[in-house]
Amino acid sequence: MAIAKNFPAIALAQANATLTKSGSPFEIEERDIRGVRARVWKNAPPTMREIFLLARTHGDRTCMVYRDERASYEEFARAALAIVEALRRSGVGKGDRVAIAMRNVPEWPAAFFGCLLAGGVATLLNAWWTGPELEYGLVDSGAKVAIVDRERLERLFEHLHNCPVLERVFVSRESEEVTHPKVVKLESIIGDVNSWRLLPDRPLPEVPLDPEDDATILYTSGTTGKPKGAIGTHRNSCSGLMARPYSLARSCLRRGEPVPTPDPKAPQKSSLLAIPLFHTTGCHASMIPLFAIGGKLVLMHKWDPELAMQLIERERITTAGGVPTIAWQLLEHPSLGHYDLSSLESIAYGGAPAAPELVRRLKEKFPKSAPRFGWGMTETSGAFTGHQDEDYELRPESSGPALPVGDMKIVDADGKELPVGGIGELWVKGPNVVRGYWNNPGATAETFVDGWLRTSDIARLDEEGFCYILDRTKDMLIRGGENIYCIEVENALYEHPSVIDAAVIAIPHHTLGEEPGAVVTLKQGTRASEDELRGFVAERIAAFKVPVRIVVAPDMLPRNANGKILKSELKRLLVEYVH
């Protein structure tokens, strides 16, 4: 679609004022949240209980598709309520943590809602983690119950004795007999997915929930290398519900068109989800909003571009994406022209830097599909900014403006707010910002200041409030949407008996954005090959964090006067080695 010469028809501030005025679906009101005055969506559901009830009204509509398994909304609701009953029998009460560690399978959403309806705190563990990493998440969160799949149980089995607070483990898709006293097959509670229709209807427990009650813990790595548990409230989880419809309405006003009225008879929306549900993007930005409108969630066990195109054609997918990597791999796949992808209405992505050329390429290949891009963090419960349609095409380097319930500012090293165009650290505030880190008051006090979240991203804002992320102050890289903190990888390298110096550096990658590489120095008189070092690290951290290249330097790595390694000098060496 060509950009109209008179775009935008109205200014962003005017569009926001029109959409959020009194009596509108997107009306905004002010509330005190933990002593801080904040703007909130007046009409957003107060807790996840209301979202569950809203989802259940969609009855026989298809809720989830996974391979040859299908579940309707009523079937999903019955499975979730069966899990509620099992959790309550296991002693789960309000505020108890229930860990979920599974790949994208239908049992995941049922476990998630089952936990919340029981009053628990859904503790989402990274399914890519190793056994020791999963053990850390369970022990750190103090989870009373865990719901896992077969592969996660295999990784955890030898670590269960190190989790004394953990009383019960429900395992799904386990074909073998399980003899551990803590472990019970989830199928004994809910059966297999295609038999959920046979589950009896159970009453919804009367567990009092408040918007400020804890709802989720999502782990995000810190600069110390130890993951931090971001504590999200019910309000945090529910706030993202308004983001997508609001952005669509704003785009209409910006181009001078009336905001369309929702049509209950319109074909069902459907989303292809390859990004993990344990990510805030998969959970808060994708699953929850889709369930609220009765959309169809098509789950992928892992990303495969050709299978994705087959599913888009078969299931008439309207939204696909997740991270820029997915969009690139669709664009460049040799079989792209062999499938009917005309059902796509949007390709949405975030979680990693997106090259400006991506939006242009998407418009060329999918002219009827609107590219969407947003910026957010685990700590913002999904997207904080949103960018699509003409605004995105005109500002492809930007992550878009904040939603009208959110505030952004750029500050200098002393915490002083900078004027428009100034470059500094991005601070954000809004009802989707988590309340802090689990059992970590030091990190909470450092990151959350008077209601503001210090993002550690270097950015600037333009005169209309569009945000441009320029760099990250944290020592972190993002591989296809997965955060990798360098110090964690460096620590694993340092465990090798021959390594005396180590630095992890981002290697640019066309589709993944960047990958981890490393430069090490070995102790005099010792040897270690690249393959040996990579294998050594792979035994200690998740596979996606393992450096794709490791260069052995002849001398100690260069440092500045403060003793900090000069990674900018090492980056040239590593890039030259790769190419």
Side-chain angles (χ1 to χ4, degrees), residues 77-90:
R78 293 188 178 211
L81 290 172
I83 291 174
V84 173
E85 185 177 280
L87 291 176
R88 288 168 69 83
R89 285 200 308 265
S90 299

Side-chain angles (χ1 to χ4, degrees), residues 229-247:
I231 313 167
T233 65
H234 281 266
R235 188 186 299 280
N236 295 155
S237 293
C238 294
S239 290
L241 199 66
M242 312 295 278
R244 172 64 172 149
Y246 184 86
S247 296

Side-chain angles (χ1 to χ4, degrees), residues 8-28:
I10 64 173
L12 181 66
Q14 184 181 350
N16 286 339
T18 299
L19 290 170
T20 60
K21 65 185 179 182
S22 178
S24 76
F26 303 108
E27 182 179 352
I28 288 175

